[in-house]
């Protein structure tokens, strides 16, 4: 069973800059009960970001640590394995033009400059078979 | 997560910067960076939410471009893209610097590279005239 892994990096970076930080972006994941935030300046490569997101998103299995019942139900073990193996989960980002793009196509620095928000989609959502998900994504006001 | 590996020509550019003065370095880096930024163009495909980005300078011609797009988007269709091939269901369009959408392949490659700002893969059954630009 995975222990809770709280990344102090992203929480620390958002607390450090009261006025907000241009490189701090929200991270959402399909089916997740809440968002997270990361400061892209804390990473130097896609690999580092990928590792951090993997740890961050695995923290949704906090059933052992007194998490809410809803959170425990969110991610059962088999889906977690899918997440960690990267199968069927598509990392995407919204850029400054409001377009959703696949993470990893451009050099890291260019990505950091243009990334406004991250979203880990399921394969079907990414290929457009679930277009309503994007409308919800765009219109939803994240808490 | 298994993410596509991006080419990083920028890394080579900035590493050669160390020979210059800091000011020259910034200007050199800025010039290289803006040129590289322009070289990356967005590619969207009709009915596919997530777009991709390609470096147009990675290619020497239309066939090379078609190959990369096939690799990126080919799985979206059972018949694959087969861009520029007779009988293909799909057509490749580009937005030029004057913000006009045109069919890819009409002009020499070098001219295309200098004017392309954005790409779109669309079905031939839908004409350009009926295309409402969801992507700006």
């Amino acid at each position: 069973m995975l222990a809770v892994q709280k990344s102090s990096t992203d929480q620390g970076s958002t607390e450090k800059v009261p006025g907000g930080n241009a490189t701090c972006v929200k991270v959402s994941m399909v089916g997740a009960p809440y968002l997270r935030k990361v400061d892209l300046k804390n990473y130097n490569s896609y690999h580092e970001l990928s590792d951090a997101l993997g740890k961050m998103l695995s923290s949704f299995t906090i059933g052992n640590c007194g998490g809410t019942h809803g959170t425990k139900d969110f991610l059962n073990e088999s889906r977690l394995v899918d997440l960690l193996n990267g199968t069927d989960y598509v990392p995407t980002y919204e850029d400054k033009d409001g377009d959703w793009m696949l993470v990893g196509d451009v050099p890291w620095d260019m990505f950091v400059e243009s990334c406004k928000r991250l979203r880990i989609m399921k394969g079907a959502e990414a290929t457009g078979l679930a277009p309503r998900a994007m409308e919800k994504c765009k219109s939803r006001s994240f808490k | 997560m298994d993410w596509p590996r991006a080419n990083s020509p920028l890394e080579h550019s900035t590493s050669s910067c160390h020979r210059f003065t800091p000011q020259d370095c910034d200007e050199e880096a800025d010039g290289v960076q803006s040129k590289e930024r322009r070289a990356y163009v967005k590619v969207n495909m009709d009915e596919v939410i997530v777009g991709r980005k390609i470096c147009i300078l990675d290619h020497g011609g239309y066939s090379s471009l078609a190959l990369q797009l096939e690799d990126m988007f080919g799985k979206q269709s059972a018949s694959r893209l087969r861009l520029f091939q007779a009988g293909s269901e799909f057509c490749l369009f580009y937005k030029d610097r004057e913000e006009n959408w045109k069919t890819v392949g009409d002009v020499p490659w070098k001219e295309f590279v200098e004017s392309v700002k954005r790409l779109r893969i669309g079905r031939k059954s839908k004409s350009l005239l009926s295309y409402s630009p969801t992507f700006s």
Side-chain angles (χ1 to χ4, degrees):
Chain A
M1 294 295 280
L2 289 178
V4 173
Q5 293 185 43
K6 272 193 177 180
S7 167
S8 57
T9 314
D10 54 319
Q11 291 174 359
S13 62
T14 50
E15 287 166 6
K16 257 191 279 181
V17 186
N21 184 331
T23 53
C24 277
V25 299
K26 291 174 184 170
V27 184
S28 64
M29 182 177 167
V30 60
Y34 53 86
L35 305 182
R36 297 297 299 271
K37 233 178 172 182
V38 291
D39 188 348
L40 295 177
K41 263 206 260 188
N42 291 334
Y43 312 104
N44 294 310
S45 67
Y46 287 115
H47 185 77
E48 287 182 21
L49 176 63
S50 173
D51 281 350
L53 287 181
K55 289 176 189 166
M56 181 188 302
L57 297 169
S58 70
S59 71
F60 285 124
T61 57
I62 60 174
N64 280 346
C65 300
T68 63
H69 190 62
T71 307
K72 186 180 172 182
D73 284 347
F74 154 64
L75 207 57
N76 62 35
E77 195 172 316
S78 60
R79 286 184 65 189
L80 181 59
V81 168
D82 285 344
L83 171 65
L84 297 180
N85 286 342
T87 58
D88 201 38
Y89 281 90
V90 182
T92 66
Y93 70 100
E94 185 184 14
D95 68 10
K96 290 180 176 172
D97 298 326
D99 294 322
W100 286 90
M101 312 298 294
L102 187 72
V103 171
D105 282 338
V106 301
W108 173 253
D109 291 339
M110 203 183 288
F111 163 72
V112 171
E113 260 193 51
S114 55
C115 176
K116 240 176 57 177
R117 190 166 22 162
L118 281 162
R119 178 167 175 83
I120 314 299
M121 296 187 189
K122 285 282 277 180
E125 184 184 0
T127 55
L129 297 178
R132 280 190 192 171
M134 288 318 303
E135 295 309 310
K136 275 169 65 178
C137 207
K138 284 179 183 175
S139 61
R140 180 194 302 167
S141 53
F142 291 106
K143 298 169 193 166
Chain B
M1 296 181 186
D2 187 21
W3 293 357
R5 305 270 173 184
N7 290 328
S8 300
L10 188 60
E11 289 177 3
H12 299 300
S13 316
T14 50
S15 65
S16 67
C17 248
H18 296 303
R19 285 181 264 150
F20 300 96
T21 63
Q23 186 183 358
D24 289 344
C25 189
D26 287 343
E27 287 170 0
E28 170 91 357
D30 283 349
V32 169
Q33 283 185 28
S34 65
K35 184 185 173 186
E36 190 183 45
R37 204 160 282 126
R38 280 200 306 272
Y40 278 91
V41 297
K42 288 183 188 176
V43 190
N44 287 95
M45 180 171 174
D46 285 357
E47 298 159 21
V48 179
I49 288 169
V50 179
R52 300 293 299 265
K53 264 196 149 166
I54 61 159
C55 179
I56 204 74
L57 298 179
D58 282 348
H59 302 283
Y62 290 117
S63 52
S64 169
L65 173 64
L67 273 175
Q68 186 179 21
L69 295 180
E70 189 70 63
D71 185 54
M72 285 180 163
F73 291 96
K75 284 173 289 194
Q76 301 293 343
S77 166
S79 58
R80 312 283 290 178
L81 296 183
R82 296 186 298 124
L83 292 170
F84 307 123
Q85 294 179 34
S88 166
E89 290 177 49
F90 298 95
C91 196
L92 186 61
F93 304 103
Y94 74 103
K95 185 156 87 166
D96 65 12
R97 299 206 175 276
E98 283 84 46
E99 307 286 311
N100 297 316
W101 283 96
K102 296 177 176 171
T103 306
V104 171
D106 288 345
V107 301
W109 174 254
K110 281 190 179 167
E111 192 178 320
F112 166 73
V113 166
E114 278 163 24
S115 57
V116 63
K117 265 183 66 176
R118 189 159 189 161
L119 287 164
R120 175 198 150 230
I121 300 166
R123 289 190 182 271
K124 280 184 181 170
S125 52
K126 290 185 182 178
S127 71
L128 264 179
L129 291 174
S130 64
Y131 170 56
S132 56
T134 312
F135 313 112
S136 53

